[in-house]
Amino acid sequence: MSTSARLRDRRVNLERRATASKAVRNSLVSVAGLVGGPVTNQSGEEVGRVADVVARLYGPEPYPPVTGLILRIGRRRTFLPAHAVGKLQAGHVRLRTARVDLRDFARRPGEVLLAKDVLDHQLVDVDGVQVTRAADLYLTPLLDQVVLVGVDVSLPTLLRRLGPRRWQTRPTPERVLDWQAVAPFAEQATEGPPEVRLRASRTALHRLRPADLADILEDLGRAERQQLLGWLEPEQAADALEEMEPAELENLLREAQPEHAARLVDEMEPDEAADALRDLTGEEREALLTRMPAGEAAELRRLLTHREGTAGGAMTTLLVTARRDESVADVRGRLAEQAEHRTEIDAVAVVDDEGRVACDIPLFDLAVAEDSAPVADLVIWRAQFGPPVTVRPDTPLSEAADQLVTARASSLLVLDDGDRPLGRILADDLLDAMLPERGRLHFRRFLQ
């Protein structure tokens, strides 16, 4: 999706959100201001104080409905169902009837205590692509029920809560983030089945790019980070891990359960997976390899035999090869099967009957060739540009980089002593390997 299309979709989504309504913004009730506030009956007599607000956070609704309040009556804490609430306003709750069924609170699947489980906890702002904390939460009447409609993450609001009681109850609608732009992280927030918790958060997170997810993973605490990884599909999580800083990725793999860490590494591109494993101790590395499928583990062990700083240590073993007697259509079909690895493939190596490299055909040449054209014709045409640029596994990366620049190529083939392809080094992999100290530039954070 183009940048302009992404921005247009985001604007449309924002306009459809409840907090875009002036009426909603004028009716916000602060959860922080509500906690500790009085609960009165129809006669105005105080019957207790608000201890917390209960909401069904992980249900199918776009805005979590309030299911009740927890009241403090003397030394007792009791549950007040939402239907018994007559009016909810700044710092004050009025009951609907004089007689109220007060019962003991038992958390149901998907329910959370907003003050205890969400307020001051980490959240992900999906629109802003950042990890933040909830300084306040806002409720509002919507469609005949009270719902959680927004969150305030500003520092002034946090300071407001430290001031007098009359300040604490004042919402700040100009700082509100719509709840649909937020994904919560609170492992203790529900005792419901995992699939209930997953649905709402995946909806908010699935559209983020791997680099954005990597930023979020780096900012989250240990427990929240592992929870987010559990929410993502293994392929999506692996893509994000490939974008993380090496030190952060190392910590993440150590924190995860070995079975989960092994599954994530297995989903990573071979060269990225090998780099991640190199940063672990021998014992930690072997614990992950023994939990992977035998074929993938053997491939990674072969990669790990090559020293860092060499072509073999930086290459990916993901290769697409072709023979002279194949048609261009045949090769394109094989490329289509590797669509999920498109960022790791920029050319197709042509090999002879003994598996030796005869030519390296860029994808552009394949794209403009006729489907019926034999690969042999492309080999003949490419011969005018000289032999393919290749290196040996023990070639120092500095020498490989010189060859890449001289040939004005985007990748190099790594060949064994028999001129058979072992892997490929992409230009960005050379940069990652030779400039590890540069880090990833977090333009988004800098601009904020």
Tab-separated table of all heavy atoms in Angstrom, residues 315-347:
chain	number	residue	atom	x	y	z
A	315	MET	N	26.057	-14.774	4.425
A	315	MET	CA	25.199	-15.152	3.302
A	315	MET	C	23.882	-15.768	3.773
A	315	MET	O	23.757	-16.249	4.891
A	315	MET	CB	25.929	-16.162	2.407
A	315	MET	CG	26.092	-17.540	3.041
A	315	MET	SD	26.971	-18.684	1.942
A	315	MET	CE	27.008	-20.178	2.975
A	316	THR	N	22.901	-15.735	2.876
A	316	THR	CA	21.669	-16.486	3.072
A	316	THR	C	21.718	-17.714	2.158
A	316	THR	O	22.247	-17.638	1.044
A	316	THR	CB	20.416	-15.656	2.728
A	316	THR	OG1	19.258	-16.474	2.852
A	316	THR	CG2	20.459	-15.094	1.320
A	317	THR	N	21.214	-18.816	2.644
A	317	THR	CA	21.208	-20.039	1.842
A	317	THR	C	19.951	-20.153	0.988
A	317	THR	O	19.759	-21.161	0.305
A	317	THR	CB	21.315	-21.271	2.757
A	317	THR	OG1	20.264	-21.237	3.717
A	317	THR	CG2	22.661	-21.290	3.468
A	318	LEU	N	19.101	-19.134	1.051
A	318	LEU	CA	17.884	-19.139	0.238
A	318	LEU	C	18.244	-18.800	-1.205
A	318	LEU	O	18.629	-17.659	-1.516
A	318	LEU	CB	16.880	-18.135	0.795
A	318	LEU	CG	15.529	-18.070	0.080
A	318	LEU	CD1	14.788	-19.387	0.209
A	318	LEU	CD2	14.698	-16.935	0.640
A	319	LEU	N	18.174	-19.760	-2.100
A	319	LEU	CA	18.551	-19.588	-3.495
A	319	LEU	C	17.460	-20.106	-4.421
A	319	LEU	O	16.789	-21.093	-4.093
A	319	LEU	CB	19.850	-20.344	-3.806
A	319	LEU	CG	21.145	-19.825	-3.178
A	319	LEU	CD1	22.266	-20.834	-3.385
A	319	LEU	CD2	21.531	-18.471	-3.766
A	320	VAL	N	17.305	-19.453	-5.561
A	320	VAL	CA	16.485	-19.971	-6.644
A	320	VAL	C	17.420	-20.236	-7.816
A	320	VAL	O	18.160	-19.339	-8.243
A	320	VAL	CB	15.378	-18.981	-7.054
A	320	VAL	CG1	14.608	-19.518	-8.259
A	320	VAL	CG2	14.428	-18.737	-5.890
A	321	THR	N	17.437	-21.460	-8.316
A	321	THR	CA	18.316	-21.828	-9.430
A	321	THR	C	17.487	-22.246	-10.638
A	321	THR	O	16.300	-22.562	-10.523
A	321	THR	CB	19.264	-22.971	-9.017
A	321	THR	OG1	18.481	-24.120	-8.663
A	321	THR	CG2	20.140	-22.556	-7.843
A	322	ALA	N	18.134	-22.254	-11.789
A	322	ALA	CA	17.473	-22.646	-13.032
A	322	ALA	C	18.474	-23.364	-13.929
A	322	ALA	O	19.696	-23.259	-13.736
A	322	ALA	CB	16.904	-21.419	-13.749
A	323	ARG	N	17.955	-24.071	-14.935
A	323	ARG	CA	18.784	-24.740	-15.940
A	323	ARG	C	18.568	-24.064	-17.285
A	323	ARG	O	17.527	-23.441	-17.529
A	323	ARG	CB	18.435	-26.226	-16.034
A	323	ARG	CG	18.653	-26.993	-14.738
A	323	ARG	CD	18.424	-28.492	-14.975
A	323	ARG	NE	17.155	-28.745	-15.663
A	323	ARG	CZ	15.984	-28.837	-15.067
A	323	ARG	NH1	15.902	-28.682	-13.747
A	323	ARG	NH2	14.874	-29.075	-15.771
A	324	ARG	N	19.530	-24.244	-18.182
A	324	ARG	CA	19.457	-23.601	-19.491
A	324	ARG	C	18.226	-24.029	-20.288
A	324	ARG	O	17.666	-23.255	-21.069
A	324	ARG	CB	20.714	-23.927	-20.300
A	324	ARG	CG	22.002	-23.347	-19.764
A	324	ARG	CD	23.178	-23.888	-20.566
A	324	ARG	NE	24.453	-23.473	-20.030
A	324	ARG	CZ	25.153	-22.425	-20.450
A	324	ARG	NH1	24.665	-21.683	-21.432
A	324	ARG	NH2	26.308	-22.119	-19.914
A	325	ASP	N	17.825	-25.316	-20.121
A	325	ASP	CA	16.747	-25.844	-20.964
A	325	ASP	C	15.356	-25.493	-20.453
A	325	ASP	O	14.357	-25.853	-21.072
A	325	ASP	CB	16.875	-27.358	-21.103
A	325	ASP	CG	16.837	-28.067	-19.757
A	325	ASP	OD1	16.895	-27.379	-18.719
A	325	ASP	OD2	16.756	-29.315	-19.740
A	326	GLU	N	15.256	-24.776	-19.343
A	326	GLU	CA	13.956	-24.355	-18.833
A	326	GLU	C	13.494	-23.093	-19.552
A	326	GLU	O	14.290	-22.333	-20.110
A	326	GLU	CB	14.032	-24.079	-17.330
A	326	GLU	CG	14.229	-25.322	-16.480
A	326	GLU	CD	14.184	-24.980	-15.001
A	326	GLU	OE1	15.169	-24.419	-14.486
A	326	GLU	OE2	13.152	-25.277	-14.377
A	327	SER	N	12.179	-22.862	-19.490
A	327	SER	CA	11.631	-21.624	-20.041
A	327	SER	C	11.559	-20.561	-18.952
A	327	SER	O	11.595	-20.861	-17.751
A	327	SER	CB	10.240	-21.861	-20.617
A	327	SER	OG	9.305	-22.108	-19.566
A	328	VAL	N	11.431	-19.318	-19.391
A	328	VAL	CA	11.282	-18.213	-18.441
A	328	VAL	C	10.035	-18.413	-17.587
A	328	VAL	O	10.036	-18.130	-16.383
A	328	VAL	CB	11.229	-16.878	-19.199
A	328	VAL	CG1	10.808	-15.749	-18.268
A	328	VAL	CG2	12.574	-16.569	-19.832
A	329	ALA	N	8.959	-18.930	-18.198
A	329	ALA	CA	7.718	-19.170	-17.444
A	329	ALA	C	7.954	-20.171	-16.322
A	329	ALA	O	7.401	-20.027	-15.216
A	329	ALA	CB	6.627	-19.667	-18.385
A	330	ASP	N	8.763	-21.220	-16.572
A	330	ASP	CA	9.061	-22.202	-15.531
A	330	ASP	C	9.751	-21.537	-14.340
A	330	ASP	O	9.422	-21.808	-13.179
A	330	ASP	CB	9.971	-23.311	-16.095
A	330	ASP	CG	9.269	-24.154	-17.150
A	330	ASP	OD1	8.027	-24.237	-17.099
A	330	ASP	OD2	9.965	-24.727	-18.011
A	331	VAL	N	10.698	-20.672	-14.620
A	331	VAL	CA	11.450	-20.007	-13.546
A	331	VAL	C	10.552	-19.046	-12.778
A	331	VAL	O	10.614	-18.960	-11.545
A	331	VAL	CB	12.667	-19.268	-14.126
A	331	VAL	CG1	13.460	-18.590	-13.003
A	331	VAL	CG2	13.561	-20.237	-14.891
A	332	ARG	N	9.710	-18.335	-13.510
A	332	ARG	CA	8.787	-17.420	-12.821
A	332	ARG	C	7.859	-18.180	-11.888
A	332	ARG	O	7.526	-17.705	-10.793
A	332	ARG	CB	7.963	-16.645	-13.857
A	332	ARG	CG	8.731	-15.538	-14.553
A	332	ARG	CD	7.850	-14.878	-15.587
A	332	ARG	NE	8.532	-13.816	-16.302
A	332	ARG	CZ	8.129	-13.326	-17.448
A	332	ARG	NH1	7.037	-13.828	-18.038
A	332	ARG	NH2	8.789	-12.351	-18.041
A	333	GLY	N	7.416	-19.346	-12.303
A	333	GLY	CA	6.567	-20.156	-11.432
A	333	GLY	C	7.279	-20.545	-10.159
A	333	GLY	O	6.688	-20.542	-9.072
A	334	ARG	N	8.574	-20.868	-10.272
A	334	ARG	CA	9.342	-21.235	-9.081
A	334	ARG	C	9.557	-20.012	-8.182
A	334	ARG	O	9.569	-20.130	-6.949
A	334	ARG	CB	10.676	-21.842	-9.513
A	334	ARG	CG	11.344	-22.634	-8.421
A	334	ARG	CD	12.161	-23.811	-8.930
A	334	ARG	NE	13.183	-23.427	-9.906
A	334	ARG	CZ	13.121	-23.733	-11.203
A	334	ARG	NH1	12.087	-24.411	-11.683
A	334	ARG	NH2	14.074	-23.378	-12.025
A	335	LEU	N	9.724	-18.859	-8.776
A	335	LEU	CA	9.853	-17.633	-7.979
A	335	LEU	C	8.562	-17.327	-7.222
A	335	LEU	O	8.589	-16.887	-6.070
A	335	LEU	CB	10.210	-16.454	-8.890
A	335	LEU	CG	11.661	-16.356	-9.356
A	335	LEU	CD1	11.793	-15.324	-10.465
A	335	LEU	CD2	12.577	-16.006	-8.195
A	336	ALA	N	7.426	-17.558	-7.877
A	336	ALA	CA	6.138	-17.290	-7.225
A	336	ALA	C	5.977	-18.124	-5.965
A	336	ALA	O	5.348	-17.682	-4.991
A	336	ALA	CB	4.996	-17.574	-8.197
A	337	GLU	N	6.544	-19.324	-5.954
A	337	GLU	CA	6.449	-20.182	-4.775
A	337	GLU	C	7.253	-19.628	-3.598
A	337	GLU	O	7.042	-20.025	-2.457
A	337	GLU	CB	6.944	-21.590	-5.121
A	337	GLU	CG	6.073	-22.310	-6.160
A	337	GLU	CD	6.701	-23.613	-6.626
A	337	GLU	OE1	7.851	-23.906	-6.179
A	337	GLU	OE2	6.071	-24.329	-7.425
A	338	GLN	N	8.189	-18.725	-3.886
A	338	GLN	CA	9.037	-18.138	-2.841
A	338	GLN	C	8.631	-16.700	-2.523
A	338	GLN	O	9.441	-15.911	-2.048
A	338	GLN	CB	10.504	-18.164	-3.297
A	338	GLN	CG	11.067	-19.542	-3.567
A	338	GLN	CD	11.175	-20.353	-2.289
A	338	GLN	OE1	11.309	-19.806	-1.194
A	338	GLN	NE2	11.103	-21.674	-2.429
A	339	ALA	N	7.370	-16.350	-2.801
A	339	ALA	CA	6.919	-14.964	-2.643
A	339	ALA	C	7.158	-14.422	-1.241
A	339	ALA	O	7.470	-13.241	-1.065
A	339	ALA	CB	5.440	-14.853	-3.004
A	340	GLU	N	7.041	-15.271	-0.219
A	340	GLU	CA	7.221	-14.785	1.154
A	340	GLU	C	8.671	-14.383	1.430
A	340	GLU	O	8.958	-13.688	2.403
A	340	GLU	CB	6.784	-15.863	2.154
A	340	GLU	CG	7.592	-17.147	2.076
A	340	GLU	CD	7.105	-18.190	3.065
A	340	GLU	OE1	7.050	-17.879	4.261
A	340	GLU	OE2	6.766	-19.294	2.621
A	341	HIS	N	9.595	-14.812	0.563
A	341	HIS	CA	11.014	-14.478	0.734
A	341	HIS	C	11.476	-13.458	-0.303
A	341	HIS	O	12.660	-13.400	-0.636
A	341	HIS	CB	11.870	-15.743	0.614
A	341	HIS	CG	11.519	-16.820	1.588
A	341	HIS	ND1	11.710	-16.690	2.950
A	341	HIS	CD2	10.948	-18.042	1.397
A	341	HIS	CE1	11.293	-17.791	3.560
A	341	HIS	NE2	10.830	-18.620	2.650
A	342	ARG	N	10.568	-12.651	-0.815
A	342	ARG	CA	10.889	-11.750	-1.927
A	342	ARG	C	12.027	-10.799	-1.597
A	342	ARG	O	12.784	-10.394	-2.485
A	342	ARG	CB	9.653	-10.954	-2.351
A	342	ARG	CG	9.037	-10.109	-1.241
A	342	ARG	CD	7.923	-9.196	-1.785
A	342	ARG	NE	6.866	-9.956	-2.407
A	342	ARG	CZ	5.812	-10.435	-1.765
A	342	ARG	NH1	5.731	-10.251	-0.434
A	342	ARG	NH2	4.874	-11.089	-2.385
A	343	THR	N	12.170	-10.428	-0.333
A	343	THR	CA	13.230	-9.479	0.013
A	343	THR	C	14.607	-10.122	0.013
A	343	THR	O	15.619	-9.419	0.092
A	343	THR	CB	12.964	-8.862	1.400
A	343	THR	OG1	12.906	-9.905	2.384
A	343	THR	CG2	11.661	-8.079	1.402
A	344	GLU	N	14.679	-11.441	-0.058
A	344	GLU	CA	15.957	-12.154	-0.033
A	344	GLU	C	16.377	-12.637	-1.417
A	344	GLU	O	17.419	-13.284	-1.554
A	344	GLU	CB	15.854	-13.365	0.908
A	344	GLU	CG	15.556	-13.011	2.360
A	344	GLU	CD	16.720	-12.287	3.016
A	344	GLU	OE1	17.854	-12.803	2.956
A	344	GLU	OE2	16.488	-11.202	3.576
A	345	ILE	N	15.567	-12.388	-2.427
A	345	ILE	CA	15.858	-12.904	-3.768
A	345	ILE	C	15.884	-11.737	-4.755
A	345	ILE	O	14.889	-11.032	-4.919
A	345	ILE	CB	14.789	-13.936	-4.213
A	345	ILE	CG1	14.725	-15.099	-3.228
A	345	ILE	CG2	15.078	-14.436	-5.619
A	345	ILE	CD1	13.559	-16.030	-3.463
A	346	ASP	N	17.018	-11.507	-5.394
A	346	ASP	CA	17.103	-10.451	-6.407
A	346	ASP	C	17.637	-10.973	-7.735
A	346	ASP	O	17.775	-10.208	-8.695
A	346	ASP	CB	17.977	-9.298	-5.918
A	346	ASP	CG	19.457	-9.660	-5.895
A	346	ASP	OD1	19.770	-10.867	-5.762
A	346	ASP	OD2	20.291	-8.742	-6.011
A	347	ALA	N	17.931	-12.271	-7.803
A	347	ALA	CA	18.453	-12.855	-9.034
A	347	ALA	C	18.271	-14.369	-8.976
A	347	ALA	O	18.001	-14.940	-7.910
A	347	ALA	CB	19.929	-12.502	-9.216
